[in-house]
Amino acid sequence: MIGRSVALAATVALLGSCTGDDPLMRSQPDTAGGGTQQQQDARQDTAQQASSQSQQDTSEKQTAQTGDADVPEGQMPGLGTTRFKPEPLPDFEPTDTFVGEKVQQFRKDLGKLKNNVGQQNAQLQDLRAKARQAARRYHGLVADIQAQLQTGTTPGNPRLVKKWNQAQAELERVDQVVKRMNELSNQVSSTSALAGFLLQSISSSYGLSGAVEADHAHLRALEDSANQTMVLVDRLLNELSKDVSRQNSYLSRERRNLSMLSLAIKNGEFYGQSLANRADVQPAAPDGRATGDVDISGREPLVVIRFDSEEVEYQQPLYNAVQRALDNNAKATFQVVAVAPQSDQRAKTALNRSQSRQHAEDVLRSLNEMGLPPNRVSLAATTSQQAEVNQVHIYLE
């Protein structure tokens, strides 16, 4: 019992020394108990900034939990990873001078500015997370559709159509994120203007009379902090701009792929990415469709499609051939030639020409649906004594 009493007494003495003697552990006077109004405002600003920082860290932890490992590299939208955390406000005692009052007002305004930057950073991280989540769901649905197409399915399979609609909805969610990022960019621009005005106001206060040496030291500390915040805001604005630009490119590419996937579901065949994503963005092909005869003697066709039956499945080999050509030369241009058998009877030859021309227009339409830009392909016609049935030839120009 004596040992226990001694231990208890020692514990009480230790706690008493921590709470009573250590100046670091002493409680600060509350609003009702003491301290100047400027000190109270400073403590309030610091508390608000700490609360904003805590919310920001929570948002960033949630963002960090969303990984992109389940999506193939290069398919996710390109988004930045920088986190824009403002540095804490400088802390100093008020001087009770005219310039000192200005200093406290600048400190309060700078605290609000840093709080805005912290909130805008949290919004950016949240939008990035939402874009990545929608993109992962989108690519998951696309992968399911492609897997079903590769194993074989019926044309226009309603289950695949439903998944395609869901994939389109996820892509639209990414588009909504882009719109919100544009709105956030406008808000950050306003914050940047406010930071510039505050920095100019702080700098001009050096010339005010009624200051002591400590006031100028405080102004220099605030000026440095405002400069750092200004740089942070500019970086935030630049990265936002890059995020929006990269996501717009991502949306354009995936919308073309989604259109290509729609054609694949319609035909019940697996193709691949849209041909528009493989073609050079500035082609040199003539935009026009020839109507006269062309000479095809000595030319090696890329693809020959023979229409010797009512249903000719030509889309898959056509896509593969054009895809390989674009892989070899992204600026490649093509010519679709309707080749009609030549007959001794003029009426028969005219009918053949009309039919082969219709087939060529169908092939041209298929190429456009596969994503090949219209100004990358032209249409022509001819007759041939060697052709036994109506044909369509595709040539590299």
Side-chain angles (χ1 to χ4, degrees):
M1 294 295 294
I2 295 175
R4 292 180 182 176
S5 301
V6 172
L8 179 59
T11 303
V12 172
L14 179 61
L15 291 175
S17 64
C18 290
T19 57
D21 297 335
D22 191 348
L24 296 178
M25 299 298 294
R26 293 172 184 167
S27 60
Q28 297 294 326
D30 56 18
T31 303
T36 65
Q37 182 65 39
Q38 293 176 339
Q39 291 173 328
Q40 295 167 14
D41 291 343
R43 289 197 298 270
Q44 184 178 4
D45 293 343
T46 303
Q48 290 177 351
Q49 185 179 5
S51 175
S52 174
Q53 185 67 43
S54 176
Q55 294 176 358
Q56 177 182 344
D57 292 341
T58 301
S59 174
E60 292 174 1
K61 287 179 181 178
Q62 294 174 349
T63 302
Q65 295 174 356
T66 58
D68 301 335
D70 52 340
V71 179
E73 184 178 358
Q75 290 190 9
M76 290 292 290
L79 292 167
T81 57
T82 308
R83 308 192 186 283
F84 304 90
K85 297 181 180 180
E87 294 294 329
L89 277 168
D91 198 9
F92 36 72
E93 292 294 330
T95 59
D96 296 329
T97 64
F98 173 74
V99 176
E101 293 177 0
K102 285 281 188 180
V103 166
Q104 291 302 317
Q105 183 60 47
F106 289 149
R107 187 183 185 280
K108 187 174 183 179
D109 293 341
L110 185 57
K112 292 179 181 179
L113 180 68
K114 288 177 177 287
N115 185 56
N116 287 343
V117 175
Q119 291 177 354
Q120 289 163 357
N121 172 61
Q123 291 179 39
L124 174 61
Q125 306 309 327
D126 180 63
L127 290 174
R128 284 172 171 174
K130 289 179 178 178
R132 291 188 178 102
Q133 291 167 4
R136 278 196 299 276
R137 291 191 294 264
Y138 162 77
H139 287 291
L141 290 164
V142 169
D144 290 344
I145 295 172
Q146 291 177 338
Q148 185 64 49
L149 289 170
Q150 287 177 316
T151 57
T153 185
T154 55
N157 188 321
R159 293 181 179 176
L160 298 188
V161 172
K162 181 179 179 180
K163 287 187 176 182
W164 186 92
N165 289 330
Q166 292 173 345
Q168 186 182 42
E170 295 299 340
L171 208 57
E172 287 304 312
R173 287 189 175 91
V174 178
D175 185 50
Q176 291 300 317
V177 168
V178 175
K179 293 178 180 178
R180 291 179 60 185
M181 279 190 171
N182 278 318
E183 295 173 358
L184 179 59
S185 181
N186 293 332
Q187 296 174 15
V188 176
S189 296
S190 299
T191 301
S192 178
L194 180 60
F197 175 76
L198 181 59
L199 181 61
Q200 184 179 5
S201 299
I202 294 173
S203 299
S204 62
S205 296
Y206 285 105
L208 296 176
S209 61
V212 295
E213 291 80 358
D215 291 329
H216 281 194
H218 297 163
L219 285 173
R220 285 192 295 271
L222 289 176
E223 188 176 32
D224 291 343
S225 183
N227 265 315
Q228 293 172 356
T229 306
M230 185 106 180
V231 171
L232 191 68
V233 172
D234 288 343
R235 290 176 179 173
L236 172 58
L237 192 60
N238 290 337
E239 196 152 318
L240 251 175
S241 177
K242 291 178 181 178
D243 279 357
V244 170
S245 178
R246 285 191 291 250
Q247 283 191 99
N248 281 329
S249 298
Y250 167 82
L251 285 169
S252 298
R253 183 186 76 225
E254 292 306 324
R255 280 170 177 157
R256 292 191 291 263
N257 286 335
L258 204 58
S259 178
M260 182 71 189
L261 194 60
S262 175
L263 177 64
I265 294 172
K266 175 184 175 182
N267 296 332
E269 296 182 358
F270 174 76
Y271 297 135
Q273 292 189 4
S274 171
L275 295 176
N277 294 333
R278 298 178 178 272
D280 191 281
V281 294
Q282 293 183 351
D287 186 9
R289 300 181 180 182
T291 57
D293 287 354
V294 294
D295 184 9
I296 61 174
S297 59
R299 298 178 67 183
E300 185 68 24
L302 187 67
V303 180
V304 175
I305 306 172
R306 294 177 175 84
F307 289 89
D308 51 4
S309 62
E310 292 185 2
E311 296 293 334
V312 179
E313 300 294 337
Y314 62 85
Q315 287 87 354
Q316 185 67 64
L318 175 65
Y319 173 84
N320 292 338
V322 175
Q323 179 190 32
R324 286 193 298 269
L326 290 173
D327 287 341
N328 293 330
N329 179 15
K331 296 183 179 181
T333 58
F334 305 87
Q335 186 178 46
V336 177
V337 181
V339 182
Q342 190 171 5
S343 173
D344 295 336
Q345 301 178 6
R346 297 180 62 181
K348 179 65 173 176
T349 299
L351 179 60
N352 289 337
R353 287 176 65 93
S354 176
Q355 291 175 343
S356 64
R357 178 74 179 215
Q358 182 63 49
H359 292 316
E361 290 177 352
D362 292 340
V363 171
L364 181 63
R365 190 177 304 110
S366 295
L367 286 172
N368 293 152
E369 290 176 346
M370 292 175 184
L372 189 65
N375 59 345
R376 302 297 293 274
V377 57
S378 59
L379 183 64
T382 189
T383 58
S384 173
Q385 293 181 347
Q386 286 74 31
E388 297 180 356
V389 296
N390 290 322
Q391 301 177 4
V392 174
H393 295 190
I394 290 87
Y395 294 94
L396 278 171
E397 286 193 317

